[in-house]
Amino acid sequence: RGEFRASRIMAQRVLDHPKIEVVWNSEVVGLIGAEKVEAVTLRDTVTGVERELPATGVFVAGPIWTVDRVPDVTIGLEAL
C-alpha cells in the first residue's frame, strides 16, 4: 500500500516520529534472528524485489499472523 488509511492527524504523527520508518508498498516475508528480532525480510509489492531491513522489533497491525503465513516465525512464539 502506498497510503495510510488512518486520519490525516494520526498519519502525520507516524511520519513525524523519529523512531518510525514507513516502508511503502512492502510486505513482511520473514523475520531474522536467533533469540530476538534482528531484521525483517521485506518484499516490494510493486517490483517483487526482496531486501533485509535491520530491526529490533516488529509492530503488527491487522489480523494475527499464523506460522504458515510468515516463514521462519519462531522468535517469541512462547510469549503468545
Side-chain angles (χ1 to χ4, degrees), residues 3 7-9 20-21 27 36 49 52 62 69 76 79:
E3 63 186 6
S7 69
R8 187 177 304 159
I9 291 170
I20 297 176
E21 177 182 350
E27 63 182 341
K36 62 181 181 174
V49 173
E52 287 185 13
R69 290 210 41 214

Side-chain angles (χ1 to χ4, degrees), residues 2-77:
E3 63 186 6
F4 284 117
R5 292 187 194 177
S7 69
R8 187 177 304 159
I9 291 170
M10 293 304 291
Q12 195 59 52
R13 287 180 65 188
V14 169
L15 292 170
D16 291 342
H17 198 290
K19 293 186 178 182
I20 297 176
E21 177 182 350
V22 177
V23 182
W24 301 105
N25 300 313
S26 296
E27 63 182 341
V28 176
V29 294
L31 299 176
I32 300 165
E35 298 288 324
K36 62 181 181 174
V37 175
E38 296 173 7
V40 295
T41 303
L42 301 174
R43 179 183 301 127
D44 187 300
T45 58
V46 176
T47 66
V49 173
E50 291 187 7
R51 70 180 179 110
E52 287 185 13
L53 177 68
T56 57
V58 177
F59 173 78
V60 179
I64 304 264
W65 291 335
T66 59
V67 173
D68 63 321
R69 290 210 41 214
V70 179
D72 301 321
V73 177
T74 57
I75 300 167
L77 286 180

